[in-house]
Amino acid sequence: MGPVIDNLDLYWSGFLQSLEFILWCLVGSLLVGTVMAAFRVSPVPSLRALAVAYVNVFRNTPLTIVLFFMAFGLPELGINQSYFFFAALGLILYTGAFVCEALRSGVNAVPAGQAEAARALGLTFTQSMRQVILPQAFRSAIPPLGSVQIAMFKNSAVAGAFGIGGDLYSVGKTLTSARGYDYVPVLTGVAIGYLIITLTAAALLTLLERKVAIVR
Amino acid sequence: MTAEATAAETAARPGEPLVVLDHVDKHFGSLHVLQDIELTVNRGEVVVVIGPSGSGKSTLCRTINRLETIDDGSITLDGEPLPAEGKALARLRAEVGMVFQSFNLFAHKTILENVTLGPTKVRGMKKAEADKLAKELLDRVGVGHQADKYPAQLSGGQQQRVAIARALAMQPKVMLFDEPTSALDPEMIKEVLDVMVDLAKQGMTMVVVTHEMGFARTAADRVVFMADGAIVEENTPEEFFTNPQSARAQDFLGKILKH
């Protein structure tokens, strides 16, 4: 593990950069996925169609293609941003489609009577989604949402290959190709970096699930 | 005319039509579940709807706040036709309290929050004011000391009384009860019926779908008997139970009253 210990500061900065990227994508994909899930079950046909189209496009397109499009397609359309931004946007849109479907399974798990009671009180569609349906849907969708987000954490390495810049993936690449270290110890270090993030997330998820469980 | 003046005026007209169903028809696929329903519920009146399972009585009850749509005919509440959808429908539903067979308390909210949700979000009431109102109502239905618990921690009878308080918190013009005691243990039925009898005595306009003949006898102003999607007979409870006119009602009462 010599190369890792020699370059601990580099690993640490890579770890922080990856973590920052992941947190942006976590917040972004949850927001996009929640809005799309609400559209997906809304009584307005055009919103439903938009959400269906979104999920179909982004869930069924390989992540690398989405990222290529963001990194090279958007600049051609005159949209110029950092690669960090493009990579985050691509991963957010890609992951948001899975968040939407996980949440929709949660919405379906909420008994129909809950929505009826909300409507009977005079809550509008938006109010009953926000106050009654989504809070319960989130709780029952925590396990699939967790899996989707952990997959996103790992996909951030793919985004790293497109040039987030300075993240864990780039650290591995710099150490092996530019400085000539052996692959096995360097990549083991990178893997440990990701494991710290994913295992911590899994533990937090378990705690969260216990804390917000609804008794019926 | 201001809204307050309208409310004061309407409240001062007991006995006038509040809910009017006119030639209402509804199909579930090939099943003609509501057939040419004509029903008027007057202000302050307690109408009990009884009949065999599958007769359409729950569906009838649910059309009054448009949880079920209708194919034909019209329904008016306080002279206004039911809006088809959107904010106007939400506003109308706020005027109609509903109590369900399966309680449907919001599982992720405390008892108090269940009661304050409508007043704060729909009526824009301040939280402190809504809390006060909710506590009064919870005390009135006898579950005030459970305010901080969650629905699943309460018995069925307690949950149903909370559901009644939740509906009352909106100060509705009419209360709909869709088989409110059918999911309860026998010993819990009475505590819910007692609350409903009190409400009836205080002059609340009520439409009650039930199998509780005792409640129909003591609290109803009028009994509506339904079978196969149609209203077969309508009478005072006294007349209906002692002297049913239709063969269908005689047969129904014969079956349930023998035991």
Side-chain angles (χ1 to χ4, degrees):
Chain A
M1 295 303 282
V4 181
I5 291 161
D6 291 349
N7 295 288
L8 259 186
D9 54 339
L10 194 58
Y11 272 102
W12 177 241
S13 73
F15 177 81
L16 290 181
Q17 177 75 345
S18 280
L19 194 62
E20 187 191 342
F21 181 79
I22 281 169
L23 287 177
W24 278 110
C25 291
L26 176 74
V27 174
S29 65
L30 284 175
L31 278 176
V32 170
T34 305
V35 170
M36 286 297 156
F39 282 4
R40 190 79 166 72
V41 297
S42 93
V44 183
S46 54
L47 293 182
R48 277 205 305 273
L50 174 71
V52 169
Y54 164 74
V55 168
N56 277 336
V57 168
F58 285 96
R59 192 171 60 161
N60 299 314
T61 309
L63 175 59
T64 46
I65 306 297
V66 173
L67 291 170
F68 265 121
F69 185 84
M70 295 295 155
F72 305 115
L74 291 185
E76 278 189 22
L77 297 174
I79 302 167
N80 283 302
Q81 288 286 345
S82 66
Y83 275 114
F84 183 96
F85 178 88
F86 285 137
L89 184 64
L91 192 51
I92 284 171
L93 290 176
Y94 177 82
T95 309
F98 293 92
V99 169
C100 172
E101 289 301 277
L103 262 183
R104 199 161 64 88
S105 77
V107 169
N108 290 341
V110 178
Q114 297 282 309
E116 284 193 344
R119 278 188 281 157
L121 275 182
L123 296 179
T124 60
F125 174 77
T126 318
Q127 285 175 325
S128 55
M129 283 307 279
R130 282 191 50 185
Q131 301 294 330
V132 177
I133 308 301
L134 284 177
Q136 297 188 51
F138 266 113
R139 285 163 164 89
S140 55
I142 285 175
L145 280 176
S147 300
V148 166
Q149 293 302 337
I150 286 173
M152 182 275 283
F153 299 171
K154 296 183 294 178
N155 284 338
S156 75
V158 179
F162 279 78
I164 298 171
D167 68 318
L168 272 174
Y169 176 89
S170 335
V171 169
K173 198 156 180 201
T174 307
L175 291 180
T176 50
S177 39
R179 303 202 194 162
Y181 285 108
D182 285 340
Y183 274 96
V184 172
V186 168
L187 291 184
T188 306
V190 171
I192 289 170
Y194 280 109
L195 280 171
I196 291 172
I197 297 176
T198 48
L199 289 177
T200 310
L204 287 176
L205 274 169
T206 311
L207 281 178
L208 183 67
E209 203 177 329
R210 260 187 231 151
K211 191 158 184 299
V212 302
I214 312 170
V215 186
R216 288 202 192 278
Chain B
M1 195 189 296
T2 65
E4 287 77 17
T6 317
E9 189 213 3
T10 50
R13 299 191 321 243
E16 289 198 359
L18 183 59
V19 181
V20 180
L21 288 83
D22 188 28
H23 294 294
V24 170
D25 269 286
K26 181 179 177 68
H27 297 79
F28 280 135
S30 63
L31 181 68
H32 198 171
V33 66
L34 293 179
Q35 300 178 21
D36 198 28
I37 299 291
E38 295 273 331
L39 179 68
T40 300
V41 180
N42 296 315
R43 212 174 291 278
E45 197 179 23
V46 177
V47 172
V48 170
V49 184
I50 61 174
S53 295
S55 59
K57 53 193 192 305
S58 273
T59 308
L60 172 74
C61 183
R62 290 162 56 87
T63 59
I64 297 174
N65 65 355
R66 214 177 155 81
L67 283 181
E68 297 284 354
T69 57
I70 56 175
D71 298 339
D72 212 357
S74 77
I75 300 178
T76 58
L77 179 84
D78 215 355
E80 286 180 54
L82 296 200
E85 56 189 31
K87 291 217 160 69
L89 177 59
R91 258 196 306 279
L92 172 124
R93 282 177 173 148
E95 307 291 330
V96 180
M98 176 112 193
V99 176
F100 300 88
Q101 179 176 352
S102 48
F103 329 134
N104 295 347
L105 293 181
F106 304 128
H108 64 303
K109 291 194 178 287
T110 64
I111 297 307
L112 189 72
E113 290 166 346
N114 263 276
V115 183
T116 56
L117 183 69
T120 53
K121 297 295 168 190
V122 179
R123 300 268 193 242
M125 195 184 273
K126 292 264 181 348
K127 189 182 174 295
E129 203 186 333
D131 282 354
K132 187 166 164 279
L133 170 71
K135 279 177 184 148
E136 280 168 19
L137 286 167
L138 288 171
D139 282 338
R140 185 166 145 198
V141 298
V143 284
H145 54 294
Q146 315 272 21
D148 297 325
K149 292 190 178 168
Y150 284 88
Q153 294 171 287
L154 270 58
S155 73
Q158 289 171 330
Q159 287 190 54
Q160 194 62 302
R161 285 183 282 150
V162 173
I164 293 173
R166 177 175 69 176
L168 288 176
M170 299 300 290
Q171 286 151 341
K173 290 177 178 168
V174 53
M175 288 277 287
L176 309 175
F177 294 83
D178 185 8
E179 302 202 26
T181 57
S182 297
L184 296 176
D185 291 344
E187 56 187 356
M188 291 172 188
I189 290 176
K190 185 176 178 298
E191 65 191 45
V192 171
L193 290 180
D194 285 347
V195 170
M196 291 169 60
V197 169
D198 278 348
L199 260 186
K201 279 185 190 150
Q202 285 157 21
M204 175 61 78
T205 311
M206 295 163 65
V207 176
V208 185
V209 173
T210 188
H211 293 291
E212 295 299 325
M213 299 304 147
F215 176 81
R217 277 176 186 275
T218 53
D221 294 308
R222 190 149 46 104
V223 171
V224 169
F225 176 73
M226 282 186 79
D228 306 319
I231 292 179
V232 178
E233 199 168 332
E234 226 182 310
N235 217 328
T236 61
E238 178 67 22
E239 270 296 303
F240 177 78
F241 286 111
T242 53
N243 188 19
Q245 301 298 307
S246 63
R248 195 69 184 81
Q250 285 161 9
D251 179 53
F252 178 75
L253 290 175
K255 276 177 190 152
I256 57 165
L257 295 181
K258 259 176 206 152
H259 298 285

